[in-house]
Amino acid sequence: MSVVYKDDQEDWLTVCLKYLLFVFNFLFWVGGAAVLGVGVWTLVEKSDYLSLLASSTFAVSAYILILAGSLVVVTGFLGCCAVVREQRSCLSTYFFCLLFIFLIELVAGVLAYVYYQKLSEELKQHLNQTMTENYAQPGKEAVTLAVDRLQQDFKCCGSNNSNDWMVSVYISSNQADSRIVPDSCCKTITPMCGLRAHPSNIYKVEGGCITKLEQFLADHLLVIGAVGIGVACLQICGMVFTCCLYKRIKMEPY
């Protein structure tokens, strides 16, 4: 009687572990979709701004999340197959896939956090130089478009303020046609509107574009870090459930 009860108890535990892994796979897919979505959102929504950054850490973090999110779709399917078939080889493969994706997401989260710490200093050192030296220069079309979009999206003018443009290569050249600031500084863009630097005509924002861009990037980095580390922690549960089911299947007689 005790042997039968023990076998029934073991079967019940195995079934519970199966259902737990199925639930985890569903959450895993949802988390993977979130990771993939955040990565794509980061690169697509304001991709123009990447040309204004001195390092590629921000973009690398996003690409890592896209890779991890894509792998989640394949791994989630493998997890379902492993649970249904109850094969130890499938479970062990699934476990190592989870571990690999866990490490990828952890790296993305750590990169985002580290870059978040040095973001302010990088922008202070490089943004003003990039805007004043590269705007409207040959071969720097990406920077020009990024600066124009930055100033229009965030309703700002210049890195720190509109006076930054006075020492820029563009304003000092004949190409500017006596403009004081680029036309993208204007509240309402019209041809040659940059001739007037009055607050009624151009954006005069406290802290300039550097403050706006820093806040925008910081918000994105926090989301990247939170999603990456959050889903990575969820995968720890999946790895624990996988190990437990692997052990149960191993203990059961063939």
mmCIF file of all heavy atoms in Angstrom, residues 39 43 50 58-68:
data_model
loop_
_atom_site.group_PDB
_atom_site.id
_atom_site.type_symbol
_atom_site.label_atom_id
_atom_site.label_comp_id
_atom_site.label_asym_id
_atom_site.label_seq_id
_atom_site.Cartn_x
_atom_site.Cartn_y
_atom_site.Cartn_z
ATOM 1 N N GLY A 39 13.681 46.414 -27.023
ATOM 2 C CA GLY A 39 14.859 46.560 -27.869
ATOM 3 C C GLY A 39 14.543 47.274 -29.174
ATOM 4 O O GLY A 39 15.256 48.199 -29.581
ATOM 5 N N LEU A 43 15.600 51.281 -30.507
ATOM 6 C CA LEU A 43 16.331 51.583 -31.738
ATOM 7 C C LEU A 43 15.500 52.357 -32.758
ATOM 8 O O LEU A 43 16.028 53.184 -33.490
ATOM 9 C CB LEU A 43 16.825 50.276 -32.378
ATOM 10 C CG LEU A 43 17.930 49.533 -31.632
ATOM 11 C CD1 LEU A 43 18.274 48.260 -32.365
ATOM 12 C CD2 LEU A 43 19.172 50.401 -31.493
ATOM 13 N N LEU A 50 21.237 58.316 -31.983
ATOM 14 C CA LEU A 50 22.426 57.492 -31.750
ATOM 15 C C LEU A 50 23.673 58.113 -32.359
ATOM 16 O O LEU A 50 24.778 57.916 -31.860
ATOM 17 C CB LEU A 50 22.213 56.080 -32.318
ATOM 18 C CG LEU A 50 21.076 55.261 -31.684
ATOM 19 C CD1 LEU A 50 20.961 53.908 -32.362
ATOM 20 C CD2 LEU A 50 21.303 55.087 -30.180
ATOM 21 N N PHE A 58 24.742 52.294 -25.769
ATOM 22 C CA PHE A 58 23.283 52.389 -25.773
ATOM 23 C C PHE A 58 22.686 51.490 -26.849
ATOM 24 O O PHE A 58 21.761 50.709 -26.593
ATOM 25 C CB PHE A 58 22.876 53.845 -26.004
ATOM 26 C CG PHE A 58 21.395 54.095 -25.937
ATOM 27 C CD1 PHE A 58 20.755 54.211 -24.720
ATOM 28 C CD2 PHE A 58 20.652 54.214 -27.100
ATOM 29 C CE1 PHE A 58 19.395 54.440 -24.660
ATOM 30 C CE2 PHE A 58 19.288 54.450 -27.043
ATOM 31 C CZ PHE A 58 18.661 54.562 -25.819
ATOM 32 N N ALA A 59 23.222 51.565 -28.067
ATOM 33 C CA ALA A 59 22.724 50.742 -29.168
ATOM 34 C C ALA A 59 23.021 49.263 -28.937
ATOM 35 O O ALA A 59 22.176 48.401 -29.230
ATOM 36 C CB ALA A 59 23.354 51.200 -30.486
ATOM 37 N N VAL A 60 24.196 48.951 -28.402
ATOM 38 C CA VAL A 60 24.569 47.555 -28.148
ATOM 39 C C VAL A 60 23.599 46.915 -27.164
ATOM 40 O O VAL A 60 23.172 45.761 -27.348
ATOM 41 C CB VAL A 60 26.012 47.469 -27.615
ATOM 42 C CG1 VAL A 60 26.309 46.070 -27.075
ATOM 43 C CG2 VAL A 60 27.006 47.820 -28.718
ATOM 44 N N SER A 61 23.221 47.644 -26.111
ATOM 45 C CA SER A 61 22.266 47.122 -25.130
ATOM 46 C C SER A 61 20.950 46.769 -25.803
ATOM 47 O O SER A 61 20.342 45.732 -25.514
ATOM 48 C CB SER A 61 22.023 48.150 -24.025
ATOM 49 O OG SER A 61 23.207 48.426 -23.315
ATOM 50 N N ALA A 62 20.496 47.624 -26.697
ATOM 51 C CA ALA A 62 19.236 47.379 -27.399
ATOM 52 C C ALA A 62 19.345 46.167 -28.324
ATOM 53 O O ALA A 62 18.437 45.333 -28.388
ATOM 54 C CB ALA A 62 18.828 48.616 -28.186
ATOM 55 N N TYR A 63 20.459 46.054 -29.056
ATOM 56 C CA TYR A 63 20.649 44.915 -29.956
ATOM 57 C C TYR A 63 20.705 43.595 -29.177
ATOM 58 O O TYR A 63 20.198 42.562 -29.627
ATOM 59 C CB TYR A 63 21.929 45.085 -30.775
ATOM 60 C CG TYR A 63 21.793 46.022 -31.946
ATOM 61 C CD1 TYR A 63 22.589 47.157 -32.060
ATOM 62 C CD2 TYR A 63 20.856 45.778 -32.953
ATOM 63 C CE1 TYR A 63 22.455 48.033 -33.134
ATOM 64 C CE2 TYR A 63 20.723 46.640 -34.035
ATOM 65 C CZ TYR A 63 21.523 47.766 -34.113
ATOM 66 O OH TYR A 63 21.386 48.620 -35.182
ATOM 67 N N ILE A 64 21.315 43.626 -28.005
ATOM 68 C CA ILE A 64 21.383 42.426 -27.170
ATOM 69 C C ILE A 64 19.982 41.997 -26.742
ATOM 70 O O ILE A 64 19.645 40.810 -26.744
ATOM 71 C CB ILE A 64 22.271 42.675 -25.933
ATOM 72 C CG1 ILE A 64 23.745 42.792 -26.352
ATOM 73 C CG2 ILE A 64 22.129 41.543 -24.919
ATOM 74 C CD1 ILE A 64 24.678 43.146 -25.214
ATOM 75 N N LEU A 65 19.142 42.973 -26.376
ATOM 76 C CA LEU A 65 17.773 42.646 -25.981
ATOM 77 C C LEU A 65 16.984 42.066 -27.152
ATOM 78 O O LEU A 65 16.180 41.146 -26.974
ATOM 79 C CB LEU A 65 17.069 43.898 -25.445
ATOM 80 C CG LEU A 65 17.465 44.359 -24.044
ATOM 81 C CD1 LEU A 65 16.597 45.535 -23.620
ATOM 82 C CD2 LEU A 65 17.327 43.230 -23.031
ATOM 83 N N ILE A 66 17.190 42.599 -28.348
ATOM 84 C CA ILE A 66 16.500 42.066 -29.525
ATOM 85 C C ILE A 66 16.923 40.619 -29.768
ATOM 86 O O ILE A 66 16.087 39.750 -30.063
ATOM 87 C CB ILE A 66 16.799 42.930 -30.761
ATOM 88 C CG1 ILE A 66 16.135 44.305 -30.610
ATOM 89 C CG2 ILE A 66 16.314 42.251 -32.037
ATOM 90 C CD1 ILE A 66 16.473 45.286 -31.712
ATOM 91 N N LEU A 67 18.212 40.335 -29.644
ATOM 92 C CA LEU A 67 18.715 38.970 -29.797
ATOM 93 C C LEU A 67 18.097 38.050 -28.752
ATOM 94 O O LEU A 67 17.611 36.957 -29.071
ATOM 95 C CB LEU A 67 20.237 38.963 -29.673
ATOM 96 C CG LEU A 67 20.910 37.575 -29.606
ATOM 97 C CD1 LEU A 67 20.670 36.814 -30.902
ATOM 98 C CD2 LEU A 67 22.399 37.709 -29.329
ATOM 99 N N ALA A 68 18.086 38.504 -27.504
ATOM 100 C CA ALA A 68 17.540 37.684 -26.419
ATOM 101 C C ALA A 68 16.048 37.427 -26.621
ATOM 102 O O ALA A 68 15.563 36.306 -26.446
ATOM 103 C CB ALA A 68 17.774 38.375 -25.069
#
